[in-house]
Structure formats: structure tokens, C-alpha cells
Amino acid sequence: MPKPLLALGCEGSANKLGLGVVSHDPTTNKTTILSNVRHTFNSPPGTGFLPKDTAKHHRTFFTRIAHEALSTAGISPSDLSCICYTRGPGMGAPLSSVAIAARTLSLLWDKPLVGVNHCVGHIEMGRVITGADNPVVLYVSGGNTQVIAYAEQRYRIFGETLDIAVGNCIDRFARTLGIPNDPFPGYNVEQLAKKGGSVLLDLPYAVKGMDCSFSGILAAADLLAAQMREQDRILSAEGGKLKEGEVRITPEDLCFTLQETVYAMLVEITERAMAHVGSKQVLVVGGVGCNERLQEMMGSMAKDRGGSVYSTDERFCIDNGIMIALAGLLAYETGFRTPLEDSTCTQRFRTDEVHIKWRDD
Amino acid sequence: MTASTGSQDFPCVLTLDVPFPTARLASIALQSLQVDKELSALVRRTFSISSSIEGARGDSDKILKVEYKATTNRMLRVAFNSFMESLNLVVEVMEELDADVLSTPIAA
């Protein structure tokens, strides 16, 4: 009887360096996570992570995280079937630092390489963890915003952002407010939003067919934040008063408003995709997917349609190595390999470019 | 490391000989590093393996020879610095994660 196969996954397309080991049994389709180690590069409040610094972070921590991934899993390199790495999409310099290290491991250990599409990694991980077999997928993170449905061995993009990703919009607004990036900006925006909600401020709503746009919303939110600082200045002066009828803006209400607006947009396009393909399941993946408010809004929409939302916690929905290991191992089992000379990275790599040979439904 | 005069279009040249303990490691470094294309058209590079610095025969191929050529010194510095960062990572992975290193128990 064939034994389960093991893979090491190496992920570093953005500010998280993640390495992990998974095992997958091709006969029973059972997946086991043996280790999932991650180290995040956080830039100071008010700033974002730059490619150069992020790449340096990944190079600095690679061997330490690799050691931890192997020792936690309790395996040696000879147990592995393949080494999987993120081919794209993502930031060029961080991607290629991890690819160089993965290539070196592949040669040192004499194991084949498998280049993985980051988005496909998220989807396969989400399906395994939640058990959703054929859901409409909402993939929301700092770099990507897509509504995806599977058909005939491709994950097809139904709708996507026309400009910046929803997570980028939230992260950059966190910078405007100067709140910490640790553990991640979206988490801190969510905590502030929980304390807000006394008033829903006015922000544009930008759904265009199946697509959406977030850059104008960010610009409008930044303007409201500037207005809030002006109010702070007026009120701190002696006898300072706001104009008759002017609403006092707070960071809490701003975060609340931003979340409600952008998540409503995402729920709308996801619902339209579900109606189109006739699915009752929705799977939310990507870093923004661990936002509880988004899960709640998506859940009530799905409930109204007689279905349910499938989501995972931060261990699996935030970038990690095991999602790359799993998607890579599934491809490996169908005979897919990435020859060393082709083991490059690419900043642009669309979800629907990948042939999903391991699914035949 | 040596700097010398290059061709007319690529006058700025830097060469580096990196000695490895074994031919296997030198070859692995070469293969890992040469996959990514040089990003700028203003920079040319060649990687090769050679036997020894002064050409003494008999020694196995343990030396990674690197040559960078660029149109300006600035381009040369940017490309070469980036190469050194990658080389550093490759060497660290070899030191820490080669199969024989991992099979040796780590002293507490």
C-alpha cells in the first residue's frame, strides 16, 4: 500500500516568511499538518513594508525557520517527496530570496522542486481545513481581492479589484491613523472598529458589475481622517467648538465605517457569484479572511441563501508554508515538476493560469 | 576580487572567485544562482566553475567564478551587491541545512 507523501512548503511572497511540512495520502486523500512555522516582518507604525527590507528579513530568518519546520515535524529531508515554493504572485525581491533558498535545498537534498501559485495555495488549504468541497471562493488579502469559482480544472475569476487589494486599503488606512502593524494592521483596525459604530460616516461605495474598487474609498477615508485631526486641533484650543451639526469623527467610527463599507461590497459580489454558479457554500481565504466582521457579514448572507460560510483562523488564512506545501504536493502527485532552470518567480501570476489537474469534478 | 577594464559598452567589470569546500557545493551554488535573469539590460554577468585560482590542474572544480560587467559603476554596485546577498543566503543554507549537517546531533 502506498504511504502518505510529505512536502516542505516555502512561502515568502509578502511580509511573512512561512515554512511548513504537510503529508497527503493520495489513496485516502487525507491531509495532515506536521509543522507550520511563520515569521512576520513588521515595519514601524505609519509605514509599510518595502520589498528590499522584506527580502532581507526572509534571507535572515530562512535557515532558522527551516530548522524549526523540520524539527517540529520530526522528519529528515530524506522523508520528503518534493520542495514547494511560491512562484508568484507577490513582491519580486522577497519571492526570489525564498526561491534561491528553496533551489539550494532542492539541490542539497536531491528533491524535485514544485513552483506553486500563491492563490491556489490559499484555496486548497481552505478547502482541506474547512471541508468545503466546491465553494465559491472569496480571496482577500493585502495583495489580492478575487471572487473565484471552480469549473473544468481551473479556478476561474468571476470578479476582482480594479485597483488596490482590500487588505492594502485597510493596511494603508492603518498607516494614516498611525496604529501599529503588529500583529497585523487589519487586526488593529478591527479592534478599533469594535468600539465604534455610533455613527456610519459617509464613504463611497464602489462595486462595478462583478468588480470593485478600493483606492477612491481609501482617499475618502484619508480625507475624513484629516478632518478628524482638524477637529482635534479646534477642540484642543481654549473655547474651541465644532460647527453647528458637525459630527465629531473618531478613529473608532472611521475604522467601523471603512470595514462596513468594503465588506458590504465584497459580500455583494460574492453573493452574485454564488447565484450565478448555484453554489450555497462560500469559502473566505487570505489574510483579510480572518476578520470576524467579514465572516459574520458573509455568514448572514450565506444563511439567507440556505448555505453557510467556511473560514479558517489566522494559522491557515494568513500566508503560510503549508498551503504552498499542500498545493505543491497535489500537483506533484499528478506528475507536475518545476525543472531547476525554470524555477523562477513572477510578480504577476493569475489564479486561472494554473491547470488544476488534481480535481476531476 | 578584481576590477579590470571591460569592453566599450560595458566598461565596468568586477570578478570574484568563491572557493567552496567541495565541487558538489560549488556546482550547487552555481545552479541556484544562475536561474534568475539579471534584471537590468545595463548589466551582464557570467558564472562558471573552475579548478583553482591560479589554474593549477589536478584540483577538482571547487571554485565559483563570477564576472559582472556594467555600463556604469553604479549599475555594477547595485547588481553585485544583490548577487552577494544571494550568495550569502546560499552559503548559509549549505552550512545549516545540508543533509550531513542535519544528521549530526546538535549539542545542547
Side-chain angles (χ1 to χ4, degrees), chain A residues 279-299:
Chain A
S279 172
K280 287 188 178 356
Q281 298 177 327
V282 54
L283 171 67
V284 189
V285 299
V288 183
C290 60
N291 185 290
E292 288 170 5
R293 180 60 185 145
L294 175 62
Q295 292 177 2
E296 184 186 335
M297 288 169 74
M298 203 57 81

PDB file of all heavy atoms in Angstrom, chain A residues 279-299:
ATOM      1  N   SER A 279     -24.139  27.948  -6.161  1.00  0.00           N
ATOM      2  CA  SER A 279     -23.486  27.331  -5.014  1.00  0.00           C
ATOM      3  C   SER A 279     -24.021  27.913  -3.714  1.00  0.00           C
ATOM      4  O   SER A 279     -24.398  29.085  -3.649  1.00  0.00           O
ATOM      5  CB  SER A 279     -21.969  27.581  -5.108  1.00  0.00           C
ATOM      6  OG  SER A 279     -21.337  27.163  -3.925  1.00  0.00           O
ATOM      7  N   LYS A 280     -24.082  27.076  -2.674  1.00  0.00           N
ATOM      8  CA  LYS A 280     -24.530  27.546  -1.370  1.00  0.00           C
ATOM      9  C   LYS A 280     -23.366  27.706  -0.387  1.00  0.00           C
ATOM     10  O   LYS A 280     -23.543  28.149   0.732  1.00  0.00           O
ATOM     11  CB  LYS A 280     -25.560  26.579  -0.783  1.00  0.00           C
ATOM     12  CG  LYS A 280     -26.925  26.658  -1.472  1.00  0.00           C
ATOM     13  CD  LYS A 280     -27.917  25.834  -0.713  1.00  0.00           C
ATOM     14  CE  LYS A 280     -29.330  25.828  -1.222  1.00  0.00           C
ATOM     15  NZ  LYS A 280     -29.678  26.658  -2.346  1.00  0.00           N
ATOM     16  N   GLN A 281     -22.183  27.301  -0.829  1.00  0.00           N
ATOM     17  CA  GLN A 281     -21.016  27.398   0.048  1.00  0.00           C
ATOM     18  C   GLN A 281     -20.159  28.588  -0.351  1.00  0.00           C
ATOM     19  O   GLN A 281     -19.944  28.827  -1.536  1.00  0.00           O
ATOM     20  CB  GLN A 281     -20.129  26.154  -0.108  1.00  0.00           C
ATOM     21  CG  GLN A 281     -20.779  24.854   0.276  1.00  0.00           C
ATOM     22  CD  GLN A 281     -19.825  23.681   0.019  1.00  0.00           C
ATOM     23  OE1 GLN A 281     -19.026  23.701  -0.902  1.00  0.00           O
ATOM     24  NE2 GLN A 281     -19.931  22.664   0.855  1.00  0.00           N
ATOM     25  N   VAL A 282     -19.673  29.316   0.643  1.00  0.00           N
ATOM     26  CA  VAL A 282     -18.670  30.338   0.343  1.00  0.00           C
ATOM     27  C   VAL A 282     -17.481  30.141   1.270  1.00  0.00           C
ATOM     28  O   VAL A 282     -17.626  29.968   2.476  1.00  0.00           O
ATOM     29  CB  VAL A 282     -19.243  31.766   0.410  1.00  0.00           C
ATOM     30  CG1 VAL A 282     -19.936  32.050   1.726  1.00  0.00           C
ATOM     31  CG2 VAL A 282     -18.150  32.806   0.188  1.00  0.00           C
ATOM     32  N   LEU A 283     -16.299  30.115   0.661  1.00  0.00           N
ATOM     33  CA  LEU A 283     -15.062  29.936   1.409  1.00  0.00           C
ATOM     34  C   LEU A 283     -14.292  31.249   1.362  1.00  0.00           C
ATOM     35  O   LEU A 283     -14.066  31.789   0.283  1.00  0.00           O
ATOM     36  CB  LEU A 283     -14.241  28.810   0.765  1.00  0.00           C
ATOM     37  CG  LEU A 283     -12.806  28.607   1.264  1.00  0.00           C
ATOM     38  CD1 LEU A 283     -12.791  28.128   2.701  1.00  0.00           C
ATOM     39  CD2 LEU A 283     -12.078  27.600   0.370  1.00  0.00           C
ATOM     40  N   VAL A 284     -13.932  31.754   2.541  1.00  0.00           N
ATOM     41  CA  VAL A 284     -13.157  33.003   2.580  1.00  0.00           C
ATOM     42  C   VAL A 284     -11.711  32.662   2.928  1.00  0.00           C
ATOM     43  O   VAL A 284     -11.446  32.068   3.967  1.00  0.00           O
ATOM     44  CB  VAL A 284     -13.737  33.989   3.618  1.00  0.00           C
ATOM     45  CG1 VAL A 284     -13.068  35.349   3.481  1.00  0.00           C
ATOM     46  CG2 VAL A 284     -15.232  34.145   3.435  1.00  0.00           C
ATOM     47  N   VAL A 285     -10.785  33.016   2.042  1.00  0.00           N
ATOM     48  CA  VAL A 285      -9.364  32.759   2.298  1.00  0.00           C
ATOM     49  C   VAL A 285      -8.555  34.040   2.143  1.00  0.00           C
ATOM     50  O   VAL A 285      -9.062  35.045   1.647  1.00  0.00           O
ATOM     51  CB  VAL A 285      -8.792  31.660   1.359  1.00  0.00           C
ATOM     52  CG1 VAL A 285      -9.500  30.345   1.552  1.00  0.00           C
ATOM     53  CG2 VAL A 285      -8.855  32.100  -0.103  1.00  0.00           C
ATOM     54  N   GLY A 286      -7.299  33.994   2.564  1.00  0.00           N
ATOM     55  CA  GLY A 286      -6.436  35.171   2.527  1.00  0.00           C
ATOM     56  C   GLY A 286      -6.461  35.880   3.869  1.00  0.00           C
ATOM     57  O   GLY A 286      -7.355  35.644   4.686  1.00  0.00           O
ATOM     58  N   GLY A 287      -5.487  36.743   4.092  1.00  0.00           N
ATOM     59  CA  GLY A 287      -5.310  37.387   5.394  1.00  0.00           C
ATOM     60  C   GLY A 287      -6.532  38.123   5.911  1.00  0.00           C
ATOM     61  O   GLY A 287      -6.836  38.087   7.108  1.00  0.00           O
ATOM     62  N   VAL A 288      -7.277  38.798   5.010  1.00  0.00           N
ATOM     63  CA  VAL A 288      -8.467  39.537   5.452  1.00  0.00           C
ATOM     64  C   VAL A 288      -9.571  38.557   5.864  1.00  0.00           C
ATOM     65  O   VAL A 288     -10.478  38.909   6.615  1.00  0.00           O
ATOM     66  CB  VAL A 288      -8.943  40.513   4.344  1.00  0.00           C
ATOM     67  CG1 VAL A 288     -10.131  41.350   4.790  1.00  0.00           C
ATOM     68  CG2 VAL A 288      -7.812  41.437   3.903  1.00  0.00           C
ATOM     69  N   GLY A 289      -9.446  37.314   5.403  1.00  0.00           N
ATOM     70  CA  GLY A 289     -10.439  36.285   5.704  1.00  0.00           C
ATOM     71  C   GLY A 289     -10.560  35.955   7.184  1.00  0.00           C
ATOM     72  O   GLY A 289     -11.548  35.354   7.604  1.00  0.00           O
ATOM     73  N   CYS A 290      -9.558  36.325   7.989  1.00  0.00           N
ATOM     74  CA  CYS A 290      -9.705  36.019   9.416  1.00  0.00           C
ATOM     75  C   CYS A 290     -10.385  37.165  10.161  1.00  0.00           C
ATOM     76  O   CYS A 290     -10.550  37.099  11.376  1.00  0.00           O
ATOM     77  CB  CYS A 290      -8.382  35.616  10.052  1.00  0.00           C
ATOM     78  SG  CYS A 290      -7.112  36.843   9.983  1.00  0.00           S
ATOM     79  N   ASN A 291     -10.835  38.184   9.442  1.00  0.00           N
ATOM     80  CA  ASN A 291     -11.598  39.268  10.077  1.00  0.00           C
ATOM     81  C   ASN A 291     -12.976  38.743  10.465  1.00  0.00           C
ATOM     82  O   ASN A 291     -13.730  38.249   9.627  1.00  0.00           O
ATOM     83  CB  ASN A 291     -11.715  40.445   9.103  1.00  0.00           C
ATOM     84  CG  ASN A 291     -12.396  41.639   9.740  1.00  0.00           C
ATOM     85  OD1 ASN A 291     -13.597  41.607  10.001  1.00  0.00           O
ATOM     86  ND2 ASN A 291     -11.637  42.678   9.993  1.00  0.00           N
ATOM     87  N   GLU A 292     -13.300  38.872  11.756  1.00  0.00           N
ATOM     88  CA  GLU A 292     -14.553  38.286  12.261  1.00  0.00           C
ATOM     89  C   GLU A 292     -15.785  39.006  11.733  1.00  0.00           C
ATOM     90  O   GLU A 292     -16.834  38.403  11.526  1.00  0.00           O
ATOM     91  CB  GLU A 292     -14.544  38.288  13.789  1.00  0.00           C
ATOM     92  CG  GLU A 292     -13.577  37.262  14.335  1.00  0.00           C
ATOM     93  CD  GLU A 292     -13.352  37.382  15.828  1.00  0.00           C
ATOM     94  OE1 GLU A 292     -14.027  38.207  16.479  1.00  0.00           O
ATOM     95  OE2 GLU A 292     -12.485  36.651  16.336  1.00  0.00           O
ATOM     96  N   ARG A 293     -15.658  40.306  11.517  1.00  0.00           N
ATOM     97  CA  ARG A 293     -16.808  41.056  10.993  1.00  0.00           C
ATOM     98  C   ARG A 293     -17.134  40.621   9.557  1.00  0.00           C
ATOM     99  O   ARG A 293     -18.293  40.467   9.201  1.00  0.00           O
ATOM    100  CB  ARG A 293     -16.513  42.564  11.067  1.00  0.00           C
ATOM    101  CG  ARG A 293     -17.629  43.456  10.560  1.00  0.00           C
ATOM    102  CD  ARG A 293     -18.936  43.280  11.332  1.00  0.00           C
ATOM    103  NE  ARG A 293     -20.009  44.065  10.754  1.00  0.00           N
ATOM    104  CZ  ARG A 293     -21.280  43.685  10.705  1.00  0.00           C
ATOM    105  NH1 ARG A 293     -21.656  42.523  11.229  1.00  0.00           N
ATOM    106  NH2 ARG A 293     -22.194  44.453  10.155  1.00  0.00           N
ATOM    107  N   LEU A 294     -16.080  40.416   8.752  1.00  0.00           N
ATOM    108  CA  LEU A 294     -16.306  39.941   7.383  1.00  0.00           C
ATOM    109  C   LEU A 294     -16.956  38.558   7.410  1.00  0.00           C
ATOM    110  O   LEU A 294     -17.914  38.294   6.674  1.00  0.00           O
ATOM    111  CB  LEU A 294     -14.991  39.897   6.597  1.00  0.00           C
ATOM    112  CG  LEU A 294     -15.065  39.295   5.182  1.00  0.00           C
ATOM    113  CD1 LEU A 294     -15.990  40.101   4.279  1.00  0.00           C
ATOM    114  CD2 LEU A 294     -13.676  39.201   4.543  1.00  0.00           C
ATOM    115  N   GLN A 295     -16.460  37.687   8.283  1.00  0.00           N
ATOM    116  CA  GLN A 295     -17.031  36.331   8.393  1.00  0.00           C
ATOM    117  C   GLN A 295     -18.502  36.406   8.792  1.00  0.00           C
ATOM    118  O   GLN A 295     -19.335  35.666   8.271  1.00  0.00           O
ATOM    119  CB  GLN A 295     -16.247  35.514   9.422  1.00  0.00           C
ATOM    120  CG  GLN A 295     -14.824  35.197   8.991  1.00  0.00           C
ATOM    121  CD  GLN A 295     -14.033  34.441  10.057  1.00  0.00           C
ATOM    122  OE1 GLN A 295     -14.561  34.108  11.115  1.00  0.00           O
ATOM    123  NE2 GLN A 295     -12.769  34.178   9.775  1.00  0.00           N
ATOM    124  N   GLU A 296     -18.806  37.332   9.734  1.00  0.00           N
ATOM    125  CA  GLU A 296     -20.174  37.477  10.225  1.00  0.00           C
ATOM    126  C   GLU A 296     -21.115  37.961   9.109  1.00  0.00           C
ATOM    127  O   GLU A 296     -22.198  37.410   8.898  1.00  0.00           O
ATOM    128  CB  GLU A 296     -20.157  38.486  11.382  1.00  0.00           C
ATOM    129  CG  GLU A 296     -21.471  38.714  12.085  1.00  0.00           C
ATOM    130  CD  GLU A 296     -21.340  39.861  13.110  1.00  0.00           C
ATOM    131  OE1 GLU A 296     -20.218  40.135  13.591  1.00  0.00           O
ATOM    132  OE2 GLU A 296     -22.373  40.482  13.390  1.00  0.00           O
ATOM    133  N   MET A 297     -20.660  39.001   8.366  1.00  0.00           N
ATOM    134  CA  MET A 297     -21.496  39.535   7.283  1.00  0.00           C
ATOM    135  C   MET A 297     -21.695  38.497   6.180  1.00  0.00           C
ATOM    136  O   MET A 297     -22.780  38.331   5.643  1.00  0.00           O
ATOM    137  CB  MET A 297     -20.853  40.810   6.706  1.00  0.00           C
ATOM    138  CG  MET A 297     -20.959  42.002   7.635  1.00  0.00           C
ATOM    139  SD  MET A 297     -19.940  43.405   7.117  1.00  0.00           S
ATOM    140  CE  MET A 297     -20.869  44.033   5.726  1.00  0.00           C
ATOM    141  N   MET A 298     -20.601  37.788   5.856  1.00  0.00           N
ATOM    142  CA  MET A 298     -20.668  36.764   4.811  1.00  0.00           C
ATOM    143  C   MET A 298     -21.585  35.632   5.279  1.00  0.00           C
ATOM    144  O   MET A 298     -22.374  35.097   4.496  1.00  0.00           O
ATOM    145  CB  MET A 298     -19.253  36.238   4.544  1.00  0.00           C
ATOM    146  CG  MET A 298     -19.029  35.625   3.204  1.00  0.00           C
ATOM    147  SD  MET A 298     -19.398  36.699   1.826  1.00  0.00           S
ATOM    148  CE  MET A 298     -17.932  37.697   1.723  1.00  0.00           C
ATOM    149  N   GLY A 299     -21.506  35.316   6.585  1.00  0.00           N
ATOM    150  CA  GLY A 299     -22.322  34.251   7.165  1.00  0.00           C
ATOM    151  C   GLY A 299     -23.805  34.563   7.079  1.00  0.00           C
ATOM    152  O   GLY A 299     -24.608  33.684   6.745  1.00  0.00           O
TER     153      GLY A 299
END
